[in-house]
PDB file of all heavy atoms in Angstrom:
ATOM      1  N   PHE A 566     -26.866  -9.310  10.627  1.00 96.00           N
ATOM      2  CA  PHE A 566     -26.396  -8.087   9.987  1.00 96.00           C
ATOM      3  C   PHE A 566     -25.825  -8.388   8.604  1.00 96.00           C
ATOM      4  O   PHE A 566     -26.070  -7.643   7.642  1.00 96.00           O
ATOM      5  CB  PHE A 566     -25.340  -7.396  10.853  1.00 96.00           C
ATOM      6  CG  PHE A 566     -25.005  -6.004  10.405  1.00 96.00           C
ATOM      7  CD1 PHE A 566     -25.888  -4.964  10.625  1.00 96.00           C
ATOM      8  CD2 PHE A 566     -23.822  -5.747   9.744  1.00 96.00           C
ATOM      9  CE1 PHE A 566     -25.593  -3.674  10.194  1.00 96.00           C
ATOM     10  CE2 PHE A 566     -23.512  -4.465   9.310  1.00 96.00           C
ATOM     11  CZ  PHE A 566     -24.400  -3.424   9.536  1.00 96.00           C
ATOM     12  N   LEU A 567     -25.079  -9.483   8.478  1.00 96.00           N
ATOM     13  CA  LEU A 567     -24.528  -9.875   7.179  1.00 96.00           C
ATOM     14  C   LEU A 567     -25.634 -10.155   6.173  1.00 96.00           C
ATOM     15  O   LEU A 567     -25.588  -9.682   5.025  1.00 96.00           O
ATOM     16  CB  LEU A 567     -23.625 -11.099   7.338  1.00 96.00           C
ATOM     17  CG  LEU A 567     -23.089 -11.726   6.051  1.00 96.00           C
ATOM     18  CD1 LEU A 567     -22.235 -10.739   5.274  1.00 96.00           C
ATOM     19  CD2 LEU A 567     -22.296 -13.002   6.382  1.00 96.00           C
ATOM     20  N   SER A 568     -26.638 -10.911   6.575  1.00 96.00           N
ATOM     21  CA  SER A 568     -27.755 -11.224   5.675  1.00 96.00           C
ATOM     22  C   SER A 568     -28.482  -9.962   5.251  1.00 96.00           C
ATOM     23  O   SER A 568     -28.860  -9.801   4.079  1.00 96.00           O
ATOM     24  CB  SER A 568     -28.728 -12.192   6.358  1.00 96.00           C
ATOM     25  OG  SER A 568     -28.099 -13.424   6.645  1.00 96.00           O
ATOM     26  N   TRP A 569     -28.685  -9.051   6.194  1.00 96.00           N
ATOM     27  CA  TRP A 569     -29.373  -7.797   5.885  1.00 96.00           C
ATOM     28  C   TRP A 569     -28.561  -6.960   4.908  1.00 96.00           C
ATOM     29  O   TRP A 569     -29.117  -6.396   3.958  1.00 96.00           O
ATOM     30  CB  TRP A 569     -29.622  -7.018   7.173  1.00 96.00           C
ATOM     31  CG  TRP A 569     -30.233  -5.676   6.949  1.00 96.00           C
ATOM     32  CD1 TRP A 569     -31.541  -5.391   6.694  1.00 96.00           C
ATOM     33  CD2 TRP A 569     -29.532  -4.414   6.935  1.00 96.00           C
ATOM     34  NE1 TRP A 569     -31.704  -4.043   6.533  1.00 96.00           N
ATOM     35  CE2 TRP A 569     -30.503  -3.418   6.674  1.00 96.00           C
ATOM     36  CE3 TRP A 569     -28.207  -4.048   7.135  1.00 96.00           C
ATOM     37  CZ2 TRP A 569     -30.164  -2.074   6.609  1.00 96.00           C
ATOM     38  CZ3 TRP A 569     -27.871  -2.705   7.061  1.00 96.00           C
ATOM     39  CH2 TRP A 569     -28.851  -1.741   6.794  1.00 96.00           C
ATOM     40  N   LEU A 570     -27.241  -6.876   5.108  1.00 95.00           N
ATOM     41  CA  LEU A 570     -26.391  -6.125   4.194  1.00 95.00           C
ATOM     42  C   LEU A 570     -26.520  -6.657   2.771  1.00 95.00           C
ATOM     43  O   LEU A 570     -26.665  -5.888   1.814  1.00 95.00           O
ATOM     44  CB  LEU A 570     -24.924  -6.216   4.632  1.00 95.00           C
ATOM     45  CG  LEU A 570     -24.443  -5.280   5.734  1.00 95.00           C
ATOM     46  CD1 LEU A 570     -22.984  -5.577   6.056  1.00 95.00           C
ATOM     47  CD2 LEU A 570     -24.608  -3.824   5.347  1.00 95.00           C
ATOM     48  N   ARG A 571     -26.444  -7.955   2.630  1.00 94.00           N
ATOM     49  CA  ARG A 571     -26.516  -8.556   1.289  1.00 94.00           C
ATOM     50  C   ARG A 571     -27.867  -8.244   0.630  1.00 94.00           C
ATOM     51  O   ARG A 571     -27.905  -7.946  -0.570  1.00 94.00           O
ATOM     52  CB  ARG A 571     -26.263 -10.058   1.388  1.00 94.00           C
ATOM     53  CG  ARG A 571     -24.800 -10.408   1.642  1.00 94.00           C
ATOM     54  CD  ARG A 571     -24.612 -11.877   1.916  1.00 94.00           C
ATOM     55  NE  ARG A 571     -23.195 -12.238   1.926  1.00 94.00           N
ATOM     56  CZ  ARG A 571     -22.716 -13.364   2.432  1.00 94.00           C
ATOM     57  NH1 ARG A 571     -23.546 -14.251   2.976  1.00 94.00           N
ATOM     58  NH2 ARG A 571     -21.420 -13.616   2.392  1.00 94.00           N
ATOM     59  N   ARG A 572     -28.947  -8.339   1.390  1.00 93.00           N
ATOM     60  CA  ARG A 572     -30.263  -8.038   0.815  1.00 93.00           C
ATOM     61  C   ARG A 572     -30.350  -6.571   0.398  1.00 93.00           C
ATOM     62  O   ARG A 572     -30.892  -6.252  -0.662  1.00 93.00           O
ATOM     63  CB  ARG A 572     -31.361  -8.360   1.815  1.00 93.00           C
ATOM     64  CG  ARG A 572     -31.564  -9.851   2.061  1.00 93.00           C
ATOM     65  CD  ARG A 572     -32.901 -10.101   2.753  1.00 93.00           C
ATOM     66  NE  ARG A 572     -33.037  -9.361   3.998  1.00 93.00           N
ATOM     67  CZ  ARG A 572     -32.633  -9.812   5.190  1.00 93.00           C
ATOM     68  NH1 ARG A 572     -32.054 -11.014   5.269  1.00 93.00           N
ATOM     69  NH2 ARG A 572     -32.818  -9.097   6.272  1.00 93.00           N
ATOM     70  N   GLN A 573     -29.806  -5.680   1.217  1.00 92.00           N
ATOM     71  CA  GLN A 573     -29.863  -4.269   0.905  1.00 92.00           C
ATOM     72  C   GLN A 573     -29.062  -3.938  -0.355  1.00 92.00           C
ATOM     73  O   GLN A 573     -29.481  -3.126  -1.182  1.00 92.00           O
ATOM     74  CB  GLN A 573     -29.353  -3.442   2.086  1.00 92.00           C
ATOM     75  CG  GLN A 573     -30.311  -3.387   3.268  1.00 92.00           C
ATOM     76  CD  GLN A 573     -31.621  -2.725   2.892  1.00 92.00           C
ATOM     77  OE1 GLN A 573     -31.645  -1.638   2.308  1.00 92.00           O
ATOM     78  NE2 GLN A 573     -32.726  -3.369   3.233  1.00 92.00           N
ATOM     79  N   PHE A 574     -27.905  -4.566  -0.497  1.00 86.00           N
ATOM     80  CA  PHE A 574     -27.120  -4.332  -1.695  1.00 86.00           C
ATOM     81  C   PHE A 574     -27.840  -4.838  -2.934  1.00 86.00           C
ATOM     82  O   PHE A 574     -27.817  -4.193  -3.987  1.00 86.00           O
ATOM     83  CB  PHE A 574     -25.757  -5.007  -1.574  1.00 86.00           C
ATOM     84  CG  PHE A 574     -24.735  -4.149  -0.884  1.00 86.00           C
ATOM     85  CD1 PHE A 574     -24.191  -4.546   0.333  1.00 86.00           C
ATOM     86  CD2 PHE A 574     -24.304  -2.962  -1.440  1.00 86.00           C
ATOM     87  CE1 PHE A 574     -23.250  -3.773   0.960  1.00 86.00           C
ATOM     88  CE2 PHE A 574     -23.368  -2.173  -0.809  1.00 86.00           C
ATOM     89  CZ  PHE A 574     -22.828  -2.576   0.391  1.00 86.00           C
ATOM     90  N   THR A 575     -28.474  -5.985  -2.806  1.00 85.00           N
ATOM     91  CA  THR A 575     -29.220  -6.528  -3.942  1.00 85.00           C
ATOM     92  C   THR A 575     -30.315  -5.560  -4.364  1.00 85.00           C
ATOM     93  O   THR A 575     -30.551  -5.323  -5.550  1.00 85.00           O
ATOM     94  CB  THR A 575     -29.830  -7.886  -3.577  1.00 85.00           C
ATOM     95  OG1 THR A 575     -28.787  -8.807  -3.260  1.00 85.00           O
ATOM     96  CG2 THR A 575     -30.629  -8.441  -4.745  1.00 85.00           C
ATOM     97  N   GLN A 576     -30.998  -4.954  -3.385  1.00 81.00           N
ATOM     98  CA  GLN A 576     -32.061  -4.005  -3.693  1.00 81.00           C
ATOM     99  C   GLN A 576     -31.492  -2.686  -4.240  1.00 81.00           C
ATOM    100  O   GLN A 576     -32.101  -2.061  -5.120  1.00 81.00           O
ATOM    101  CB  GLN A 576     -32.879  -3.719  -2.435  1.00 81.00           C
ATOM    102  CG  GLN A 576     -33.640  -4.931  -1.922  1.00 81.00           C
ATOM    103  CD  GLN A 576     -34.282  -4.693  -0.562  1.00 81.00           C
ATOM    104  OE1 GLN A 576     -34.368  -3.560  -0.104  1.00 81.00           O
ATOM    105  NE2 GLN A 576     -34.739  -5.766   0.087  1.00 81.00           N
ATOM    106  N   THR A 577     -30.312  -2.294  -3.750  1.00 74.00           N
ATOM    107  CA  THR A 577     -29.724  -1.024  -4.170  1.00 74.00           C
ATOM    108  C   THR A 577     -29.286  -1.064  -5.625  1.00 74.00           C
ATOM    109  O   THR A 577     -29.533  -0.132  -6.395  1.00 74.00           O
ATOM    110  CB  THR A 577     -28.504  -0.675  -3.295  1.00 74.00           C
ATOM    111  OG1 THR A 577     -28.917  -0.547  -1.934  1.00 74.00           O
ATOM    112  CG2 THR A 577     -27.872   0.639  -3.761  1.00 74.00           C
TER     113      THR A 577
END
Side-chain angles (χ1 to χ4, degrees):
F566 191 74
L567 174 61
S568 297
W569 176 79
L570 278 177
R571 286 172 170 164
R572 290 196 304 272
Q573 287 298 310
F574 274 116
T575 298
Q576 295 171 13
T577 299

